[in-house]
Amino acid sequence: MPRVTVQLPAVLAPMTGGVRSMEVEGATVREALDDLLRSQPGLSIHLFDERGGVRPHIACFHNDEYLAAASALSRSLSDGDRITILNSISGG
């Protein structure tokens, strides 16, 4: 199973004891995020909606490529890949 790094935004650090980068395992982006949630279940409500979809204000990247569609969570991973999660910022 590939080991990848998940990087989290500072706003989620209080839910992880201040840790913003974690190594997880998963053959796909979704599997890697599921592995993250097994060790950090408090993140689930911030990342996913009630149907298991990524919340609209969350941007997810795989090796710097934006994963725009929900189907992109099925993207295959390789050892050493990086998943970056960011919160969208809006306002006036």
Side-chain angles (χ1 to χ4, degrees), residues 37 48 53 59:
L37 296 178
F48 296 100

Side-chain angles (χ1 to χ4, degrees), residues 11-76:
V11 70
L12 294 179
M15 269 117 316
T16 62
V19 177
R20 294 189 49 206
S21 181
M22 296 176 210
E23 195 169 285
V24 298
E25 292 184 343
T28 65
V29 172
R30 182 62 199 223
E31 287 179 14
L33 293 177
D34 287 344
D35 191 39
L36 171 70
L37 296 178
R38 277 190 282 284
S39 66
Q40 302 294 327
L43 291 176
S44 181
I45 193 167
H46 299 283
L47 302 179
F48 296 100
D49 63 23
E50 297 75 25
R51 296 181 300 160
V54 176
R55 291 195 178 276
H57 65 277
I58 295 295
C60 190
F61 294 82
H62 172 231
N63 293 337
D64 299 325
E65 185 178 340
Y66 176 59
L67 302 176
S71 61
L73 294 180
S74 63
R75 181 180 290 200
S76 294

